[in-house]
Amino acid sequence: MSERASGVSGAPEADRPAAILGLGPHGERPASPDRLRLGEAEAATARAAGFTVAVVLHTRQSDWARQHLAGIVATLGRFAVTVLEVVDCAFDAGAQVRALERLVRRRPDAIISLPVSNSGVAEAHRQVSAAGIHLILIDNSPSALRAGTDYACLVSADNFGLGQIGARLLAPCVPHEGMVGVVSYNLDFFVAAQREIAFRKWMADQRPDIRLHTVKFREMEQVGPMVGCCLDDHPGLAGLFVIWDTPAIAVLAELRARGRSLPVTTIDLGTEIAVALAQGDLVRGVGAQQPYDQGVTVATATVATLLGLEVPAWIALPALEVTRERVVSVYQSVWHAPAPETLIRAALG
Amino acid sequence: MAERPIDSERHSLLAVFDLIRTGRAATRLELELASGLGRAVVTDRLATLTQLGLIEEGERRPSMGGRAPRTVRLRADAGGILVANLDRSTLDVGLADLTGRVLFEHHEPADLAAGPEPLLARLHALFDWVLEQQDQQRALWGIGIGVPGAVETPSGPAMTLERLTFAPSWASYPAVEALVARHRAPVWVRSSIQMATMGEFGPPDPARPRDVLFVELGEEISAGIVSEGRLHRGAQGIAGQIGHIPVGEGSDLVCHCGNRGCLETLAASEAVRRAAEAAARDGRSRRLAEAVARGTITVPEIGLAAQLGDAAAAQILARCGRLIGTTLAALTNALNPSSIVLGGELTQTGDILLAAVREAVYRNSHPLATRDLAIVRSTMGRSAALAGAALIAVDELFGPDMLAAWVGRGTPMLHPDLPALIAEAQARLREPAAAAPARPPAPDDRHAAPSRPGRQR
């Protein structure tokens, strides 16, 4: 089944789950990042080769993206790989397609990309490999692409594990036969689908008494109004699970504007959500990714691919469970940085 | 929709539709040439098929001097196909369109040993969720399921309630009946390896090879055979059990089939891991010893060690490849495929195992059988079984007898035999259980206590 996720740097032992719970986009068994080790001989070969890489991200504006990029660039630097360019697509599929087309003409040895949609960007990604440029994917794999042919590997968090954490931390706050709102994303994204399916599975297995009501958004601006309608239609709503932290911030704003106090769980330990978790009034738990360590893994997989090694099709980093008691320590280990003053103050009451 | 009185037209209607669906003709002129029908008849049949909602206009072809011809194509989103695949440790589900293209897929760990009840409850929950996710609501036209064992080749009508005999706990459990009754749609079941084989083979395409051998190299070793474009299932539906071919190495290992020296016991994933652990213990490999020290060694780690120059790991994979290749050589002589597609985790270990397979096949096969033989690696992973389940369901829905029975009504949901199939499924669900007390969960019963685990194959 899934292997033990041991030796992941940057997270206290107590915060680590025993295993990766999910499978890859094509059913791949997870490979743990600490199993992808390059020795000094491989590092020397890479440094002598003088590889070049371009990075195409959904955004550079979020804490997650900044940390992820830091992990990628620092690790590529150790192998003397030059980062030619980092593109911020601003979540726009058209911008990503244009960036990939331009980068193919620039001909780096590899492109690292986080696909911002499914079918809309699949062909542009396929053209990268067709041009003889190695492609390494982050988080999402457009369903038409095949590992080993169209891309070398996919690196992501264990999104199935993250979804289960969201359910496990919310369930104790919900009374028997209560109703929970699931605020999810209305695209067949590997990441979002895995989180929602896992949340539902945990509830079905462990708390079948809880009824689930789904709210699907397409644009971030829709989140507040849609959750507002949900609260109007279901005044007895007993909790909310939000698919990641940015929409969760909109949900918190909606709840506060209405003076409602509902338990919320979400995924990603952004600063605002971490502070809300430390305050303890609405956010009851978070499933955290490890963006810096994931960046390190992405870069290592990229170098291994450039050296002609066959890397696993899906490399997954374990999900971290974050509660109010440990929010500061997990924040530090996830972000490789001291917690901000606002978080410290909220945590210390 | 009232059925059109088209008995006299039926043959030509089916011929025109089949030409369009299989991509052999796409314009009115191509349809006339391929079918031998006159222009007026083709035009009328196209109008009928359009009215029934089965075809739609496609893009225009470049002009050859006159008006640019308009193409027609199957309306892929007229209906949907739910697909699933189950093996010892994984459940795969998805949704496909009427061309067999998988639109959405999801894979999660599952424990077959937990028995049919919790797995079927999980399948119901996932199917319900997948159907809810559709942007455009497609009517459900059929369900294709892959299971981890043989499914007897049916001899009756196209729509039957197939029995799942791959394990005792499933044989006495009305899983297919529960799916038919819940979704009011026909269900077709094949073995996982046969589903994956059809997925690798792909939709009908005159340009593709028609004789293909698909071999899964993982925890088990098995094969699927496509001969002259058709899946070969065998008398009992178990064709392709190549993991149980004795490879004559005098092994003492007893296979779960009861025999000794089966290929599976000597060359599947477990055998590779065992050999790697032995090499680590004996001090033959520092890399493998380090991997063992970090925890249970995995096949990808053994592959990486071999790629990084570890001689012991390379030797293990080469020996495994030779055993597999020698077996495949015998099959190459017997079946004369034009290509062998290798899938499963052992193929993800780099080039050493694959090279050993190729060498053994070419060395031990009849020269003529390998003249144009391609030995390639699968790129589909577990998605292949879902793609195959969709293609098999589509093939059944559009099979000549089946299609003739419903085409005049525009949808297989109005097939005259479907109500009887649903009624039979419902009646069987009401029967007291023959053996185990396990019953399918009611639609609102989202989880159930696992039944007793059993050894599965």
Side-chain angles (χ1 to χ4, degrees):
Chain A
M1 188 47 53
S2 40
E3 58 190 58
R4 296 194 67 76
S6 58
V8 178
S9 61
E13 189 65 45
D15 294 325
R16 284 185 215 143
I20 302 287
L21 301 179
L23 298 176
H26 299 290
E28 302 93 337
R29 292 270 175 272
S32 182
D34 66 316
R35 304 289 174 109
L36 188 70
R37 290 169 186 260
L38 296 175
E40 191 45 47
E42 291 81 43
T45 307
R47 281 193 285 267
F51 293 120
T52 58
V53 168
V55 183
V56 180
L57 291 178
H58 54 321
T59 178
R60 292 183 65 176
Q61 308 311 314
S62 68
D63 291 341
W64 186 95
R66 279 189 285 269
Q67 282 281 324
H68 203 266
L69 186 60
I72 290 172
V73 174
T75 307
L76 290 178
R78 283 201 305 112
F79 293 100
V81 177
T82 303
V83 179
L84 294 179
E85 191 177 340
V86 180
V87 180
D88 178 346
C89 298
F91 292 95
D92 184 274
Q96 184 162 61
V97 168
R98 289 190 296 277
L100 289 169
E101 287 170 349
R102 184 172 51 77
L103 287 168
V104 164
R105 291 194 294 274
R106 198 170 176 185
R107 300 208 61 78
D109 295 303
I111 291 176
I112 296 168
S113 174
L114 193 153
V116 300
S117 72
N118 193 350
S119 54
V121 298
E123 189 52 32
H125 282 91
R126 198 196 309 277
Q127 289 307 317
V128 172
S129 292
I133 299 166
H134 295 288
L135 176 65
I136 291 83
L137 297 178
I138 305 166
D139 268 8
N140 281 314
S141 165
S143 51
L145 299 189
R146 295 182 179 185
T149 308
D150 299 316
Y151 64 95
C153 76
L154 169 74
V155 182
S156 80
D158 176 18
N159 287 290
F160 203 83
L162 288 165
Q164 296 232 326
I165 288 169
R168 194 164 58 236
L169 296 180
L170 185 61
C173 312
V174 180
H176 185 69
E177 294 187 351
M179 178 185 275
V180 162
V182 179
V183 182
S184 189
Y185 192 44
N186 203 11
L187 281 177
D188 57 339
F189 250 49
F190 173 64
V191 165
Q194 287 287 295
R195 292 175 186 180
E196 185 183 339
I197 289 170
F199 179 90
R200 291 172 170 278
K201 183 176 192 299
W202 193 95
M203 287 293 187
D205 290 345
Q206 307 296 328
R207 285 291 305 272
D209 60 291
I210 291 178
R211 291 164 298 145
L212 302 179
H213 175 78
T214 310
V215 176
K216 292 265 184 188
F217 67 93
R218 283 182 182 277
E219 307 289 341
M220 211 56 73
E221 300 73 39
Q222 299 173 315
V223 175
M226 288 176 88
V227 169
C229 287
C230 178
L231 291 166
D232 291 337
D233 295 344
H234 305 283
L237 205 67
L240 286 159
F241 168 66
V242 192
I243 205 80
W244 76 88
D245 64 341
T246 311
I249 291 164
V251 169
L252 297 184
E254 186 69 26
L255 288 172
R256 289 189 173 121
R258 292 165 169 261
R260 293 288 306 272
S261 177
L262 282 184
V264 175
T265 58
T266 188
I267 289 161
D268 285 348
L269 194 65
T271 303
E272 205 166 332
I273 288 296
V275 171
L277 176 60
Q279 289 167 338
D281 58 339
L282 294 173
V283 179
R284 301 302 175 85
V286 174
Q289 297 188 65
Q290 303 172 79
Y292 186 91
D293 297 327
Q294 189 172 312
V296 171
T297 303
V298 168
T300 308
T302 303
V303 174
T305 302
L306 288 167
L307 291 171
L309 300 172
E310 179 148 342
V311 294
W314 183 50
I315 304 172
L317 281 80
L320 303 181
E321 184 174 300
V322 196
T323 54
R324 187 183 183 190
E325 294 71 29
R326 292 210 309 263
V327 61
V328 173
S329 64
V330 179
Y331 186 97
Q332 289 176 186
S333 64
V334 164
W335 296 112
H336 292 240
E341 185 62 28
T342 49
L343 177 55
I344 299 287
R345 275 206 303 270
L348 296 179
Chain B
M1 183 189 298
E3 183 170 8
R4 280 181 46 127
I6 56 167
D7 280 350
S8 60
E9 308 166 7
R10 199 179 298 272
H11 181 75
S12 55
L13 190 78
L14 296 181
V16 168
F17 181 61
D18 196 56
L19 287 168
I20 296 168
R21 186 183 78 81
T22 55
R24 287 174 291 162
T27 65
R28 201 178 55 193
L29 180 61
E30 287 174 359
L31 286 164
E32 290 168 28
L33 293 170
S35 66
L37 299 167
R39 174 178 294 197
V41 175
V42 168
T43 302
D44 179 76
R45 302 304 177 263
L46 287 175
T48 302
L49 290 167
T50 305
Q51 186 189 354
L52 290 168
L54 292 172
I55 63 168
E56 62 188 2
E57 285 193 338
E59 68 285 355
R60 283 195 182 277
R61 288 268 176 85
S63 168
M64 302 297 285
R67 191 196 307 176
R70 168 73 72 181
T71 59
V72 288
R73 63 189 176 206
L74 170 73
R75 257 193 69 215
D77 60 354
I81 310 288
L82 280 172
V83 288
N85 180 55
L86 176 64
D87 68 14
R88 281 195 291 188
S89 59
T90 312
L91 175 62
D92 317 287
V93 296
L95 177 73
D97 66 17
L98 296 184
T99 65
R101 188 169 65 101
V102 176
L103 306 167
F104 173 82
E105 61 185 288
H106 165 71
H107 311 263
E108 65 180 53
D111 183 11
L112 190 70
E117 198 161 349
L119 274 168
L120 189 66
R122 186 66 194 137
L123 186 58
H124 283 330
L126 284 168
F127 273 175
D128 289 350
W129 186 84
V130 167
L131 289 171
E132 281 171 23
Q133 302 313 299
Q134 296 183 89
D135 276 348
Q136 46 188 17
Q137 288 302 313
R138 294 174 181 79
L140 181 63
W141 280 24
I143 301 174
I145 310 272
V147 295
V151 178
E152 289 217 19
T153 308
S155 55
M159 288 193 296
T160 61
L161 298 169
E162 290 175 284
R163 295 200 62 75
L164 305 182
T165 55
F166 62 87
S169 59
W170 287 80
S172 59
Y173 190 84
V176 172
E177 289 83 348
L179 286 164
V180 169
R182 187 184 184 92
H183 294 288
R184 307 185 69 79
V187 175
W188 289 283
V189 189
R190 302 284 185 277
S191 71
S192 292
I193 184 69
Q194 290 173 355
M195 290 296 198
T197 301
M198 286 310 291
E200 293 284 350
F201 186 66
D205 181 353
R208 233 201 338 267
R210 292 169 53 78
D211 296 276
V212 174
L213 187 63
F214 172 69
V215 186
E216 181 80 18
L217 303 173
E219 296 296 338
E220 296 171 355
I221 295 179
S222 53
I225 303 155
V226 175
S227 180
E228 296 184 352
R230 298 183 62 80
L231 180 70
H232 176 76
R233 298 179 65 190
Q236 271 68 48
I238 69 157
Q241 296 293 303
I242 68 167
H244 301 286
I245 293 174
V247 292
E249 296 236 338
S251 169
D252 290 335
L253 286 170
V254 179
C255 179
H256 61 78
C257 72
N259 293 324
R260 290 176 196 271
C262 288
L263 176 67
E264 206 164 275
T265 61
L266 295 164
S269 294
E270 178 58 30
V272 171
R273 284 194 296 267
R274 246 190 348 259
E277 284 163 1
R281 272 196 313 272
D282 300 348
R284 282 179 283 139
S285 165
R286 185 178 55 81
R287 258 186 205 281
L288 293 178
E290 286 172 359
V292 168
R294 288 196 297 270
T296 309
I297 196 163
T298 64
V299 167
E301 280 178 297
I302 300 162
L304 185 62
Q307 290 176 75
L308 292 172
D310 186 278
Q315 196 173 25
I316 290 164
L317 293 173
R319 178 179 171 275
C320 171
R322 276 195 303 276
L323 287 171
I324 293 164
T326 305
T327 306
L328 293 183
L331 285 167
T332 301
N333 289 333
L335 300 170
N336 187 22
S338 51
S339 69
I340 297 175
V341 182
L342 303 173
E345 72 170 350
L346 285 173
T347 65
Q348 305 303 313
T349 54
D351 293 324
I352 292 170
L353 181 139
L354 294 165
V357 170
R358 288 191 184 101
E359 183 188 7
V361 171
Y362 291 132
R363 179 189 297 272
N364 296 298
S365 300
H366 189 286
L368 193 54
T370 59
R371 179 197 285 169
D372 298 315
L373 177 66
I375 302 175
V376 299
R377 194 167 59 161
S378 163
T379 58
M380 293 184 75
R382 296 191 64 86
S383 304
L386 294 180
L391 289 169
I392 281 172
V394 164
D395 275 355
E396 293 285 355
L397 283 168
F398 295 124
D401 295 342
M402 179 90 177
L403 186 60
W406 66 259
V407 70
R409 302 163 185 245
T411 167
M413 297 300 91
L414 297 175
H415 190 296
D417 297 344
L418 186 59
L421 184 81
I422 294 166
E424 188 184 351
Q426 290 168 333
R428 286 196 198 172
L429 288 170
R430 287 193 295 268
E431 289 171 7
R439 307 301 300 159
D444 59 345
D445 182 8
R446 292 187 303 171
H447 76 298
S451 55
R452 195 168 54 80
R455 181 74 180 89
Q456 308 292 346
R457 162 72 176 145

